[in-house]
Amino acid sequence: MTEDTEAGAGPEPNRPPAGANWNTGGVQVVGSTVHGPVAGGQGATVRIGADAARAAPVGPEALRAAAESLRAALARLRAERPGTVADADAEDADAALAGILAETALDEPREGPLRRRVGTVVDALRTVAVLAAAVAGLETAFAALFGQV
């Protein structure tokens, strides 16, 4: 004990007792063990490890490549196995893919038109098993650029 405590005076308000180490900027734990991060006070935060590297911005190149690939696969399928895809569905998908290619050629492709065109392609070709991977690739490329289809 210090003389101040023995005399009954105690420390001044908001001051540590003489010779004490007082943590003035965070959480003070006395008489127990803390496992894990602790933060206290207004605006307090806990950071563990290094900051994650920010992902590079995603451009429309992957979406464009997926649209080109799917368009070529659709044309090949229609030539090799006529009737596999209904003509109306194939024409809708081809027009939407052409629209995707035109939109991704712009300096700043617009999400709305791309979302509608990707949706058209997915609706038209979702039941064509041999194109399933290419359709999924188109959806993945769109999601990387703008989020969920």
Side-chain angles (χ1 to χ4, degrees):
M1 284 196 180
T2 64
E3 288 181 45
D4 289 340
T5 304
E6 290 174 2
E12 295 178 34
N14 295 325
R15 294 235 184 247
N21 183 6
W22 194 13
N23 178 356
T24 60
V27 176
Q28 185 175 23
V29 178
V30 179
S32 73
T33 304
V34 175
H35 297 279
V38 175
Q42 186 174 5
T45 59
V46 174
R47 300 179 91 189
I48 300 173
D51 288 340
R54 294 191 189 273
V58 177
E61 297 80 18
L63 181 59
R64 183 175 185 76
E68 288 171 344
S69 175
L70 181 53
R71 195 171 192 205
L74 177 60
R76 211 171 27 255
L77 179 64
R78 291 184 76 194
E80 293 171 2
R81 298 194 305 194
T84 304
V85 181
D87 287 340
D89 289 341
E91 290 166 8
D92 286 349
D94 190 60
L97 289 164
I100 291 169
L101 294 174
E103 190 68 33
T104 55
L106 300 174
D107 289 338
E108 292 186 33
R110 298 166 298 167
E111 179 180 356
L114 284 171
R115 182 176 298 280
R116 287 188 295 278
R117 290 173 179 142
V118 168
T120 297
V121 172
V122 170
D123 287 344
L125 301 178
R126 82 173 65 207
T127 60
V128 183
V130 295
L131 298 177
V135 171
L138 184 74
E139 288 180 294
T140 300
F142 178 84
L145 189 58
F146 294 111
Q148 202 73 1
V149 176

